[in-house]
Coordinates of all heavy atoms in Angstrom, one line a residue:
Y1 N 2.4 -9.0 -5.2 CA 1.1 -8.5 -5.7 C 1.1 -7.1 -6.2 O 0.1 -6.6 -6.6 CB 0.1 -8.6 -4.5 CG 0.1 -10.0 -3.8 CD1 0.8 -10.2 -2.6 CD2 -0.5 -11.1 -4.5 CE1 0.8 -11.5 -2.1 CE2 -0.4 -12.4 -3.9 CZ 0.2 -12.5 -2.7 OH 0.3 -13.8 -2.2
G2 N 2.3 -6.4 -6.1 CA 2.3 -5.1 -6.7 C 3.6 -4.4 -6.3 O 4.6 -5.1 -5.9
R3 N 3.6 -3.1 -6.4 CA 4.9 -2.3 -6.1 C 4.9 -2.1 -4.5 O 4.1 -1.3 -4.0 CB 4.8 -1.0 -6.8 CG 4.8 -1.2 -8.3 CD 4.8 0.1 -9.1 NE 3.7 1.0 -8.7 CZ 2.5 0.9 -9.2 NH1 2.2 -0.1 -10.1 NH2 1.6 1.8 -8.9
A4 N 5.9 -2.7 -3.9 CA 6.0 -2.6 -2.4 C 7.2 -1.9 -2.0 O 8.3 -2.1 -2.7 CB 5.9 -4.0 -1.8
E5 N 7.1 -1.1 -1.0 CA 8.3 -0.3 -0.5 C 8.2 -0.1 1.0 O 7.1 -0.1 1.5 CB 8.5 1.0 -1.3 CG 7.3 1.9 -1.1 CD 7.4 3.3 -1.8 OE1 8.4 3.4 -2.5 OE2 6.5 4.1 -1.6
T6 N 9.3 0.0 1.6 CA 9.4 0.3 3.1 C 9.8 1.7 3.3 O 10.9 2.1 2.7 CB 10.3 -0.7 3.8 OG1 9.9 -2.0 3.6 CG2 10.3 -0.4 5.3
D7 N 9.1 2.5 4.0 CA 9.5 3.9 4.2 C 10.4 4.1 5.4 O 10.8 3.1 6.1 CB 8.3 4.8 4.3 CG 7.4 4.6 5.6 OD1 7.9 3.9 6.6 OD2 6.3 5.1 5.7
E8 N 10.8 5.3 5.8 CA 11.7 5.6 6.9 C 11.1 5.2 8.2 O 11.8 5.1 9.2 CB 12.1 7.0 6.8 CG 13.0 7.4 5.6 CD 14.3 6.7 5.6 OE1 14.9 6.5 6.7 OE2 14.7 6.3 4.5
F9 N 9.8 5.0 8.3 CA 9.1 4.7 9.5 C 8.9 3.2 9.7 O 8.3 2.8 10.6 CB 7.8 5.4 9.5 CG 7.6 6.3 10.8 CD1 8.5 7.2 11.2 CD2 6.4 6.2 11.5 CE1 8.3 8.0 12.3 CE2 6.2 7.0 12.6 CZ 7.1 7.9 13.0
N10 N 9.5 2.4 8.8 CA 9.3 1.0 8.7 C 7.9 0.5 8.4 O 7.4 -0.6 8.7 CB 9.7 0.3 10.1 CG 11.2 0.3 10.3 OD1 12.0 0.3 9.3 ND2 11.6 0.4 11.6
N11 N 7.1 1.5 7.8 CA 5.8 1.1 7.2 C 6.1 0.4 5.9 O 7.0 0.9 5.1 CB 4.9 2.3 6.9 CG 4.5 3.0 8.2 OD1 3.9 2.4 9.0 ND2 4.7 4.3 8.3
V12 N 5.4 -0.6 5.6 CA 5.4 -1.3 4.2 C 4.2 -1.0 3.5 O 3.1 -1.3 3.9 CB 5.6 -2.8 4.3 CG1 5.8 -3.4 3.0 CG2 6.8 -3.1 5.2
I13 N 4.3 -0.3 2.3 CA 3.2 0.1 1.5 C 3.2 -0.5 0.2 O 4.3 -0.6 -0.5 CB 3.2 1.7 1.3 CG1 3.2 2.4 2.7 CG2 2.0 2.1 0.5 CD1 3.4 3.9 2.6
C14 N 2.1 -1.1 -0.2 CA 2.0 -1.8 -1.5 C 0.9 -1.3 -2.3 O -0.3 -1.2 -1.9 CB 1.8 -3.3 -1.3 SG 1.7 -4.3 -2.8
T15 N 1.2 -0.9 -3.6 CA 0.1 -0.6 -4.5 C -0.1 -1.8 -5.3 O 0.7 -2.3 -6.1 CB 0.6 0.6 -5.5 OG1 1.0 1.7 -4.7 CG2 -0.4 0.9 -6.5
V16 N -1.3 -2.4 -5.1 CA -1.7 -3.7 -5.7 C -2.1 -3.5 -7.1 O -3.1 -2.8 -7.4 CB -2.7 -4.4 -4.9 CG1 -3.1 -5.7 -5.5 CG2 -2.3 -4.6 -3.4
G17 N -1.4 -4.2 -8.1 CA -1.8 -4.2 -9.5 C -1.8 -2.8 -10.1 O -1.2 -1.9 -9.6
E18 N -2.5 -2.7 -11.2 CA -2.6 -1.4 -11.9 C -3.8 -0.7 -11.4 O -4.9 -1.2 -11.2 CB -2.8 -1.7 -13.4 CG -1.6 -2.4 -14.0 CD -0.3 -1.5 -13.9 OE1 -0.4 -0.3 -14.1 OE2 0.7 -2.1 -13.8
H19 N -3.7 0.6 -11.2 CA -4.7 1.4 -10.6 C -5.5 2.1 -11.7 O -5.0 2.6 -12.7 CB -4.2 2.5 -9.6 CG -4.0 1.9 -8.3 ND1 -4.2 2.7 -7.1 CD2 -3.7 0.7 -7.8 CE1 -4.0 1.9 -6.1 NE2 -3.7 0.7 -6.5
D20 N -6.8 2.1 -11.5 CA -7.8 2.8 -12.4 C -8.3 4.0 -11.8 O -8.9 4.0 -10.7 CB -9.0 1.8 -12.7 CG -10.0 2.3 -13.6 OD1 -10.0 3.5 -13.9 OD2 -10.8 1.5 -14.1
E21 N -8.1 5.2 -12.4 CA -8.4 6.5 -11.8 C -9.9 6.7 -11.6 O -10.3 7.5 -10.8 CB -7.9 7.6 -12.8 CG -6.4 7.7 -12.8 CD -5.8 8.0 -11.5 OE1 -6.4 8.8 -10.7 OE2 -4.7 7.5 -11.2
S22 N -10.7 5.8 -12.3 CA -12.2 6.0 -12.1 C -12.7 5.2 -10.9 O -13.9 5.4 -10.5 CB -12.9 5.4 -13.4 OG -12.7 4.0 -13.5
K23 N -11.8 4.5 -10.2 CA -12.2 3.7 -9.1 C -11.7 4.3 -7.8 O -10.7 4.9 -7.7 CB -11.7 2.3 -9.1 CG -12.2 1.4 -10.3 CD -11.5 0.0 -10.2 CE -12.0 -0.9 -11.3 NZ -11.4 -2.2 -11.3
P24 N -12.5 4.2 -6.7 CA -12.0 4.7 -5.4 C -10.9 3.8 -4.9 O -10.8 2.6 -5.3 CB -13.2 4.6 -4.5 CG -14.1 3.6 -5.1 CD -13.9 3.7 -6.6
T25 N -10.1 4.3 -4.0 CA -8.9 3.6 -3.4 C -9.3 3.1 -2.0 O -9.6 3.9 -1.2 CB -7.7 4.4 -3.4 OG1 -7.3 4.7 -4.8 CG2 -6.5 3.7 -2.7
L26 N -9.1 1.8 -1.9 CA -9.4 1.1 -0.6 C -8.0 0.9 0.1 O -7.1 0.3 -0.5 CB -10.1 -0.2 -0.8 CG -10.1 -1.1 0.4 CD1 -10.9 -0.6 1.6 CD2 -10.7 -2.5 0.0
L27 N -7.9 1.3 1.3 CA -6.7 1.0 2.1 C -6.9 -0.1 3.0 O -7.9 -0.1 3.8 CB -6.3 2.3 2.9 CG -5.2 2.0 4.0 CD1 -3.9 1.6 3.4 CD2 -5.0 3.3 4.8
L28 N -6.1 -1.2 2.9 CA -6.2 -2.3 3.9 C -5.0 -2.2 4.8 O -3.8 -2.3 4.4 CB -6.1 -3.7 3.1 CG -7.3 -3.9 2.1 CD1 -7.0 -5.2 1.4 CD2 -8.6 -4.1 2.9
D29 N -5.3 -2.0 6.1 CA -4.2 -1.8 7.1 C -4.1 -3.0 8.1 O -5.2 -3.5 8.5 CB -4.4 -0.5 7.8 CG -3.5 -0.4 9.1 OD1 -2.3 -0.1 8.9 OD2 -4.0 -0.7 10.2
A30 N -2.9 -3.4 8.4 CA -2.6 -4.3 9.5 C -1.3 -3.9 10.0 O -0.4 -3.5 9.3 CB -2.6 -5.8 9.1
H31 N -1.1 -4.0 11.3 CA 0.2 -3.5 11.9 C 1.2 -4.7 12.0 O 0.8 -5.8 12.3 CB 0.1 -2.7 13.2 CG -0.4 -3.5 14.4 ND1 0.5 -4.1 15.2 CD2 -1.6 -3.7 14.9 CE1 -0.1 -4.7 16.2 NE2 -1.4 -4.5 16.0
L32 N 2.5 -4.4 11.7 CA 3.5 -5.4 11.7 C 4.3 -5.5 13.0 O 5.1 -6.4 13.2 CB 4.4 -5.3 10.5 CG 5.0 -4.0 10.1 CD1 6.1 -3.6 11.1 CD2 5.5 -4.0 8.7
D33 N 4.2 -4.5 13.9 CA 5.0 -4.5 15.1 C 4.4 -5.4 16.1 O 3.3 -5.8 16.0 CB 5.2 -3.0 15.6 CG 3.9 -2.4 16.0 OD1 2.9 -2.5 15.2 OD2 3.8 -1.8 17.1

């Protein structure tokens, strides 16, 4: 669904689709541990 990467803390972060600078950014969080 977008650009996904795992950081050094084992968080997985995904930027979904193309971002529009005129729109606010919504963070959807769920924990994987």
